[in-house]
Amino acid sequence: MGIFSNIIKHHKTSRGLTGLGGGRWGKIPQPPQWYSSSTQLCGIYPFSAGTSRPNVGTPLGRDMNVNTAVCGDMKTWYDAGLISSPSMMLFGLNGNGKSSMALRFMYSMAARGIIPAAFDPIKNEYGEAIEAIGGNRFSFGPGKPDHINGLDLGSLGDAAAEIGGEIGDQLYALAIDKAVDTVILFTQINRGSNKPLSDIEETVLEELVKVVIHTVKDPWMPDLLQAFDHVPPDVLEISGCDTATAFHAEFKGLGQSLQALIKGRMGALLLGRKSVRIPLGNPGGFCFDTSSIPESNSKMLSAAMLGTWNIGFSAMDAHWELAEFERRKAAEAAACGDFYEPKMRWGSYFAIQDEFWYPMRACEGIIDRADRVGRTNRGQGVSELKITHSPKDFLSLPNAKDRETAKGFAQRCGMLGLMALTLDDLDALSAVQPLNAREVATVAGFNVPPSWAQKPAADGSPTPPPGAGKILLKVPGRVGIAVQMTLTQIEDEKHVTDARSRISTTPESLVA
């Protein structure tokens, strides 16, 4: 027995104990895997394992390394304390699913009562989805019904009039400041980069806007020309000119710019007495569609984007203030033993700003003013998704100050979403938000085809590119999570951004 025990030695391995009588398996069967909630899996304990990946928020897809489910969005991760602000900047080359990812976030948040606000400048990728969930779509551009009146105080002005008092005065002042910024941006964009507004021109234009708003009932843009032609005393005083004749001689260029802005091609966008009014509190949200404006008309498209940012974010602020006003009225009624049902309640917003950097390239030095126009005062109640193609979009801005300000947008975002990008793009982004070598290699490899073998779809439609739906979720200081998103059947049917390419050209389809 002693000799036998010296001969046989058992060693524990993943397949069992080695040696005679150890029972080691030659082959280990691979059991099928299922994913489910802990509530459903509790009955087969201990044959289940939890995931170490985030599992709160929007269902996104599978971890590309360990194949576990990954969930998350800027709102739930912010609420869970995982990120410092409910914001995300999404980068990616064309055709890899940026808008599909944005819509996935939108559907999930809308189902949780978060109101979507889509600023959709070029492709009209969100309008149908917004209407399908009960939202409002507003269309701008040549031949479209909606216009932007830069002098209309909008939802903020309406809220100021209804609330009154000190808060109403503050909202009224904020609405005027936003109108000033909007008109100055329109004028600067229409002038172009080669002829920026001077300090005194900006000051005079600001005073013109304020005088018109204070003195004209329901002002609109042509009233600016009237005020310029018949100079109000306040404007004359601030300009440093003694007479109207001297004023018109000194500011002839500004008058010509206003003429060109209002009576030129931009008039198709700006000549409306009323800007659109967004129904506040609609759970279906709203979408601004400017896709009818051709990309070749970069001035009108940039102005439309900045104008709709002002309208949309001002509506969010107005919604908050009116909801707080109603809440206070309900509290006062309860204190007196009465009951008051608030006419409006606050709901968080999810703002999608597609092609975010497009208007920033319109002319130098406008990024700070554009940031003020496209910002809400209630940051903690608004989740933001800013979408662009490449970090080079903002790093290539001609003005050094604009570039530094633009870097701050990416640095302050709570998380980054990186879809397929080039190595140059990733190197540029690493200077703003550090990426390690493995993260760079992962994102750069998203668009690499697994082989040269062609796998056309059964219906003849184009096969998605290799990088479609692949995204690296990056939180500062944490290793990025690579995720493969797959579309549901409804998403695939409703969200088609390459309709022309999907027209079948097989012989059978041509005969039909």
Side-chain angles (χ1 to χ4, degrees):
M1 185 66 181
I3 297 175
F4 188 76
S5 62
N6 289 335
I7 296 174
I8 300 175
K9 294 183 179 180
H10 295 295
H11 299 285
K12 186 185 292 186
T13 69
S14 60
R15 299 188 177 192
L17 297 175
T18 61
L20 182 63
R24 183 174 63 163
W25 286 33
K27 293 183 178 180
I28 299 179
Q30 297 297 319
Q33 294 183 349
W34 288 274
Y35 294 88
S36 184
S37 68
S38 56
T39 303
Q40 294 170 307
L41 288 177
C42 61
I44 58 172
Y45 177 83
F47 303 105
S48 60
T51 175
S52 60
R53 295 305 188 220
N55 57 4
V56 291
T58 303
L60 297 178
R62 304 288 182 204
D63 186 302
M64 293 175 60
N65 295 314
V66 296
N67 204 36
T68 58
V70 178
C71 300
D73 53 64
M74 57 292 296
K75 171 63 174 171
T76 51
W77 283 16
Y78 173 75
D79 290 342
L82 299 178
I83 56 178
S84 59
S85 68
S87 58
M88 177 180 184
M89 189 163 283
L90 179 60
F91 298 96
L93 301 176
N94 285 334
N96 286 283
K98 295 189 300 296
S99 56
S100 296
M101 180 63 68
L103 283 168
R104 174 67 63 84
F105 285 137
M106 188 190 83
Y107 291 137
S108 175
M109 291 188 180
R112 306 197 308 265
I114 300 172
I115 302 172
F119 300 86
D120 187 6
I122 293 177
K123 295 183 181 178
N124 187 22
E125 295 176 294
Y126 306 95
E128 183 180 347
I130 289 289
E131 288 182 326
I133 62 176
N136 303 97
R137 171 160 47 172
F138 304 98
S139 299
F140 301 87
K144 296 300 180 179
D146 298 309
H147 298 85
I148 299 173
N149 176 8
L151 299 178
D152 184 5
L153 300 186
S155 298
L156 275 177
D158 296 342
E162 182 171 345
I163 295 172
E166 183 180 352
I167 294 178
D169 292 341
Q170 292 173 357
L171 291 178
Y172 185 71
L174 176 61
I176 290 178
D177 287 344
K178 288 206 169 192
V180 168
D181 281 335
T182 301
V183 172
I184 290 177
L185 283 170
F186 288 167
T187 308
Q188 180 63 79
I189 288 171
N190 202 50
R191 265 194 176 187
S193 299
N194 297 328
K195 194 178 179 183
L197 288 169
S198 66
D199 292 344
I200 188 61
E201 284 180 320
E202 279 198 15
T203 302
V204 167
L205 184 53
E206 177 179 346
E207 191 64 25
L208 272 174
V209 171
K210 290 180 178 179
V211 168
V212 170
I213 290 175
H214 287 311
T215 59
V216 179
K217 183 180 180 181
D218 297 327
W220 66 320
M221 294 296 286
D223 291 325
L224 275 179
L225 287 179
Q226 286 288 102
F228 185 87
D229 292 338
H230 304 87
V231 194
D234 291 344
V235 176
L236 196 61
E237 179 183 354
I238 207 168
S239 69
C241 298
D242 296 328
T243 65
T245 302
F247 174 85
H248 290 131
E250 179 70 21
F251 296 98
K252 180 181 178 180
L254 179 60
Q256 291 174 334
S257 293
L258 291 176
Q259 285 275 0
L261 175 69
I262 296 167
K263 296 186 177 181
R265 296 178 68 189
M266 203 79 83
L269 175 70
L270 305 179
L271 287 183
R273 281 195 174 271
K274 282 286 186 182
S275 283
V276 298
R277 282 297 188 275
I278 300 170
L280 302 182
N282 179 3
F286 57 86
C287 173
F288 293 118
D289 172 17
T290 55
S291 60
S292 66
I293 304 174
E295 288 188 65
S296 58
N297 193 346
S298 59
K299 290 182 178 180
M300 183 183 292
L301 186 54
S302 296
M305 291 177 68
L306 293 170
T308 54
W309 288 2
N310 179 36
I311 296 170
F313 284 101
S314 294
M316 297 177 202
D317 280 341
H319 184 186
W320 165 263
E321 295 294 353
L322 287 170
E324 283 293 285
F325 178 61
E326 291 293 309
R327 184 188 62 80
R328 289 192 296 269
K329 290 168 68 174
E332 290 170 3
C336 297
D338 298 325
F339 175 77
Y340 176 81
E341 178 63 32
K343 292 184 292 185
M344 184 174 297
R345 298 180 184 274
W346 171 248
S348 298
Y349 281 85
F350 172 49
I352 304 171
Q353 291 176 276
D354 208 343
E355 302 290 344
F356 177 71
W357 293 110
Y358 188 94
M360 307 301 180
R361 299 190 296 265
C363 51
E364 293 185 28
I366 70 168
I367 191 168
D368 287 328
R369 198 178 293 273
D371 181 34
R372 290 199 299 271
V373 164
R375 177 191 293 176
T376 173
N377 286 342
R378 311 299 166 196
Q380 291 190 356
V382 178
S383 303
E384 296 181 347
L385 176 63
K386 293 177 170 63
I387 305 174
T388 190
H389 296 282
S390 163
K392 293 179 182 177
D393 292 342
F394 60 84
L395 294 177
S396 61
L397 292 172
N399 185 293
K401 182 178 182 298
D402 285 351
R403 288 196 298 273
E404 290 303 312
T405 304
K407 287 181 182 180
F409 283 113
Q411 291 169 337
R412 291 192 300 270
C413 277
M415 58 193 294
L416 298 179
L418 310 181
M419 306 192 86
L421 292 168
T422 66
L423 281 173
D424 286 345
D425 291 330
L426 293 164
D427 288 341
L429 185 59
S430 295
V432 180
Q433 283 281 16
L435 302 171
N436 63 41
R438 183 172 180 179
E439 290 167 339
V440 170
T442 297
V443 177
F446 280 165
N447 248 354
V448 177
S451 70
W452 287 110
Q454 300 181 15
K455 296 181 181 180
D459 61 357
S461 62
T463 303
K470 295 177 181 177
I471 182 171
L472 183 82
L473 301 175
K474 176 66 176 176
V475 173
R478 300 286 299 180
V479 176
I481 303 173
V483 179
Q484 172 68 70
M485 185 184 80
T486 53
L487 297 179
T488 64
Q489 181 179 350
I490 292 178
E491 287 175 315
D492 193 39
E493 291 173 354
K494 293 292 184 182
H495 186 58
V496 179
T497 59
D498 59 345
R500 293 186 181 184
S501 299
R502 292 198 179 195
I503 297 175
S504 178
T505 55
T506 60
E508 294 80 2
S509 68
L510 295 176
V511 171

